[in-house]
Amino acid sequence: MFAPDFSTFDQVMKVAKTLADFESARKSLGDKTVGFVPTMGALHEGHASLIRRAVAECDAVVVSDFVNPTQFNNKTDFETYPRILDQDCAFVEAIGAAVLFAPRVEDIYPAGTDYDQRIFDLGGLDQYGEGPRRPGHFNGMAQVVTRLFDIVRPDRAYFGEKDFQQLAIIEYFVKNLHYPIEIVRCPIARAEDGLALSSRNKLLTPAQRAAAPHIYACIRQTANMVGKMPVAEAVRKTTELIDAEPQLRTEYVEIINSLNLRPVSSWDEAEHLRLTCAVYAGEVRLIDNIALK
């Protein structure tokens, strides 16, 4: 696990908790190439991998730390989402970010504005996978991402492929809305035992954490099923493999066209296929995905 080392950087990171503070910090960056890593905090090595890449590729990096209420369709999930801002500040500064932006809800969605009411064209990419299972989630995500883009005004923004559907939707509306921002795809960061890194992992009990790597172990086996049985059979077998672990309960397994996110019914239906899944460990919902071809 990444351990902060403050001796590495002479630069003192600015922490902006209001729009006014951020505008001052942003102005100080001048005409530098700005990389942006939006997060909901509770930072971990997965976030660190995004920030490190941004630091390597940009003159200055802004990291946001904001738990967005409009993308939670489950109130309990929003209320229990980990919030550890002081630790996040230390974590981000050690990696070399220039600014941590930790706004208040009223900064992102000021009274008298319609930022939290905007409805976005998501190109139908929200009709599959997570979309039907988390109503309003992707529109809420688009609300906060566009708002942050407008405030931060980055040249590049970095997103991990763990949230594969989210990333595809962001790429779509960035192009559709003509944002002059390069979206940089970054591979899934995993623990040594294969578990996809997620802030929600902090909510797992020791027994659930020990069982959770079983998800990745099972979906890796799906790659060996490609072309050897019908897609529906591969989905069924993968679901059974995951559910064989008593601590886990599969919500869905889908094999999708990587470009339009639609579930496929045959292996030759698309050139690029991906398996996506959501699995519960107790009440903690974990998502993962893997390229099949």
PDB file of all heavy atoms in Angstrom, residues 43 46 49 109 130 179 192 208-209 214 231 275:
ATOM      1  N   LEU A  43      -9.459   7.991  -0.271  1.00  0.00           N
ATOM      2  CA  LEU A  43      -8.507   7.665  -1.328  1.00  0.00           C
ATOM      3  C   LEU A  43      -7.672   6.432  -1.004  1.00  0.00           C
ATOM      4  O   LEU A  43      -7.363   6.138   0.151  1.00  0.00           O
ATOM      5  CB  LEU A  43      -7.604   8.868  -1.583  1.00  0.00           C
ATOM      6  CG  LEU A  43      -8.344  10.161  -1.936  1.00  0.00           C
ATOM      7  CD1 LEU A  43      -7.359  11.285  -2.212  1.00  0.00           C
ATOM      8  CD2 LEU A  43      -9.270   9.967  -3.133  1.00  0.00           C
ATOM      9  N   GLY A  46      -5.661   2.893  -5.831  1.00  0.00           N
ATOM     10  CA  GLY A  46      -6.252   3.081  -7.153  1.00  0.00           C
ATOM     11  C   GLY A  46      -6.260   4.535  -7.549  1.00  0.00           C
ATOM     12  O   GLY A  46      -5.883   4.902  -8.671  1.00  0.00           O
ATOM     13  N   SER A  49      -2.735   5.744  -8.341  1.00  0.00           N
ATOM     14  CA  SER A  49      -2.228   5.415  -9.682  1.00  0.00           C
ATOM     15  C   SER A  49      -2.688   6.453 -10.702  1.00  0.00           C
ATOM     16  O   SER A  49      -1.937   6.807 -11.623  1.00  0.00           O
ATOM     17  CB  SER A  49      -2.681   4.009 -10.088  1.00  0.00           C
ATOM     18  OG  SER A  49      -4.084   3.949 -10.282  1.00  0.00           O
ATOM     19  N   TYR A 109     -23.682  22.869  -5.973  1.00  0.00           N
ATOM     20  CA  TYR A 109     -25.094  23.073  -6.331  1.00  0.00           C
ATOM     21  C   TYR A 109     -25.649  24.280  -5.578  1.00  0.00           C
ATOM     22  O   TYR A 109     -26.415  24.130  -4.624  1.00  0.00           O
ATOM     23  CB  TYR A 109     -25.906  21.822  -6.000  1.00  0.00           C
ATOM     24  CG  TYR A 109     -25.383  20.555  -6.647  1.00  0.00           C
ATOM     25  CD1 TYR A 109     -24.938  19.482  -5.870  1.00  0.00           C
ATOM     26  CD2 TYR A 109     -25.326  20.422  -8.037  1.00  0.00           C
ATOM     27  CE1 TYR A 109     -24.453  18.318  -6.465  1.00  0.00           C
ATOM     28  CE2 TYR A 109     -24.849  19.263  -8.630  1.00  0.00           C
ATOM     29  CZ  TYR A 109     -24.408  18.219  -7.840  1.00  0.00           C
ATOM     30  OH  TYR A 109     -23.937  17.068  -8.427  1.00  0.00           O
ATOM     31  N   GLU A 130     -25.236  -0.951 -15.033  1.00  0.00           N
ATOM     32  CA  GLU A 130     -25.557  -0.253 -13.797  1.00  0.00           C
ATOM     33  C   GLU A 130     -26.791   0.627 -13.930  1.00  0.00           C
ATOM     34  O   GLU A 130     -27.476   0.900 -12.931  1.00  0.00           O
ATOM     35  CB  GLU A 130     -24.364   0.620 -13.374  1.00  0.00           C
ATOM     36  CG  GLU A 130     -23.117  -0.140 -12.992  1.00  0.00           C
ATOM     37  CD  GLU A 130     -23.281  -0.830 -11.650  1.00  0.00           C
ATOM     38  OE1 GLU A 130     -23.272  -0.139 -10.619  1.00  0.00           O
ATOM     39  OE2 GLU A 130     -23.440  -2.061 -11.643  1.00  0.00           O
ATOM     40  N   TYR A 179     -16.434  19.651 -24.831  1.00  0.00           N
ATOM     41  CA  TYR A 179     -15.444  20.052 -23.842  1.00  0.00           C
ATOM     42  C   TYR A 179     -14.037  19.878 -24.428  1.00  0.00           C
ATOM     43  O   TYR A 179     -13.726  18.820 -24.987  1.00  0.00           O
ATOM     44  CB  TYR A 179     -15.556  19.191 -22.584  1.00  0.00           C
ATOM     45  CG  TYR A 179     -16.563  19.673 -21.576  1.00  0.00           C
ATOM     46  CD1 TYR A 179     -17.813  19.061 -21.476  1.00  0.00           C
ATOM     47  CD2 TYR A 179     -16.281  20.734 -20.717  1.00  0.00           C
ATOM     48  CE1 TYR A 179     -18.752  19.500 -20.540  1.00  0.00           C
ATOM     49  CE2 TYR A 179     -17.207  21.167 -19.785  1.00  0.00           C
ATOM     50  CZ  TYR A 179     -18.441  20.554 -19.709  1.00  0.00           C
ATOM     51  OH  TYR A 179     -19.366  20.980 -18.791  1.00  0.00           O
ATOM     52  N   GLU A 192      -2.932  -7.066  -4.301  1.00  0.00           N
ATOM     53  CA  GLU A 192      -2.115  -8.219  -4.698  1.00  0.00           C
ATOM     54  C   GLU A 192      -2.952  -9.472  -4.869  1.00  0.00           C
ATOM     55  O   GLU A 192      -2.613 -10.348  -5.674  1.00  0.00           O
ATOM     56  CB  GLU A 192      -1.011  -8.456  -3.663  1.00  0.00           C
ATOM     57  CG  GLU A 192       0.080  -7.388  -3.669  1.00  0.00           C
ATOM     58  CD  GLU A 192       1.209  -7.719  -2.721  1.00  0.00           C
ATOM     59  OE1 GLU A 192       1.191  -8.840  -2.147  1.00  0.00           O
ATOM     60  OE2 GLU A 192       2.112  -6.880  -2.550  1.00  0.00           O
ATOM     61  N   GLN A 208     -15.493 -10.712   4.856  1.00  0.00           N
ATOM     62  CA  GLN A 208     -15.899 -10.275   3.516  1.00  0.00           C
ATOM     63  C   GLN A 208     -14.686  -9.883   2.680  1.00  0.00           C
ATOM     64  O   GLN A 208     -14.615 -10.203   1.490  1.00  0.00           O
ATOM     65  CB  GLN A 208     -16.871  -9.105   3.631  1.00  0.00           C
ATOM     66  CG  GLN A 208     -18.224  -9.479   4.202  1.00  0.00           C
ATOM     67  CD  GLN A 208     -19.027  -8.265   4.633  1.00  0.00           C
ATOM     68  OE1 GLN A 208     -18.533  -7.129   4.659  1.00  0.00           O
ATOM     69  NE2 GLN A 208     -20.288  -8.494   5.007  1.00  0.00           N
ATOM     70  N   ARG A 209     -13.722  -9.217   3.326  1.00  0.00           N
ATOM     71  CA  ARG A 209     -12.510  -8.821   2.585  1.00  0.00           C
ATOM     72  C   ARG A 209     -11.725 -10.049   2.135  1.00  0.00           C
ATOM     73  O   ARG A 209     -11.156 -10.067   1.031  1.00  0.00           O
ATOM     74  CB  ARG A 209     -11.630  -7.920   3.469  1.00  0.00           C
ATOM     75  CG  ARG A 209     -10.295  -7.500   2.831  1.00  0.00           C
ATOM     76  CD  ARG A 209     -10.507  -6.736   1.553  1.00  0.00           C
ATOM     77  NE  ARG A 209      -9.248  -6.445   0.857  1.00  0.00           N
ATOM     78  CZ  ARG A 209      -8.617  -7.273   0.050  1.00  0.00           C
ATOM     79  NH1 ARG A 209      -9.132  -8.495  -0.173  1.00  0.00           N
ATOM     80  NH2 ARG A 209      -7.505  -6.932  -0.554  1.00  0.00           N
ATOM     81  N   HIS A 214     -12.370 -13.452  -4.601  1.00  0.00           N
ATOM     82  CA  HIS A 214     -12.999 -14.547  -5.350  1.00  0.00           C
ATOM     83  C   HIS A 214     -13.709 -14.023  -6.595  1.00  0.00           C
ATOM     84  O   HIS A 214     -13.804 -14.735  -7.603  1.00  0.00           O
ATOM     85  CB  HIS A 214     -13.997 -15.256  -4.416  1.00  0.00           C
ATOM     86  CG  HIS A 214     -14.663 -16.456  -5.005  1.00  0.00           C
ATOM     87  ND1 HIS A 214     -13.996 -17.634  -5.283  1.00  0.00           N
ATOM     88  CD2 HIS A 214     -15.962 -16.669  -5.372  1.00  0.00           C
ATOM     89  CE1 HIS A 214     -14.845 -18.515  -5.794  1.00  0.00           C
ATOM     90  NE2 HIS A 214     -16.041 -17.954  -5.857  1.00  0.00           N
ATOM     91  N   VAL A 231     -22.902 -17.710 -24.890  1.00  0.00           N
ATOM     92  CA  VAL A 231     -22.695 -16.597 -23.975  1.00  0.00           C
ATOM     93  C   VAL A 231     -23.552 -16.759 -22.720  1.00  0.00           C
ATOM     94  O   VAL A 231     -23.075 -16.567 -21.593  1.00  0.00           O
ATOM     95  CB  VAL A 231     -23.005 -15.255 -24.676  1.00  0.00           C
ATOM     96  CG1 VAL A 231     -23.089 -14.125 -23.658  1.00  0.00           C
ATOM     97  CG2 VAL A 231     -21.941 -14.938 -25.721  1.00  0.00           C
ATOM     98  N   LEU A 275     -16.632  -8.444 -19.801  1.00  0.00           N
ATOM     99  CA  LEU A 275     -17.530  -8.935 -18.766  1.00  0.00           C
ATOM    100  C   LEU A 275     -17.613  -7.871 -17.679  1.00  0.00           C
ATOM    101  O   LEU A 275     -16.594  -7.345 -17.225  1.00  0.00           O
ATOM    102  CB  LEU A 275     -17.026 -10.238 -18.171  1.00  0.00           C
ATOM    103  CG  LEU A 275     -17.907 -10.840 -17.053  1.00  0.00           C
ATOM    104  CD1 LEU A 275     -17.845 -12.357 -17.099  1.00  0.00           C
ATOM    105  CD2 LEU A 275     -17.509 -10.344 -15.658  1.00  0.00           C
TER     106      LEU A 275
END
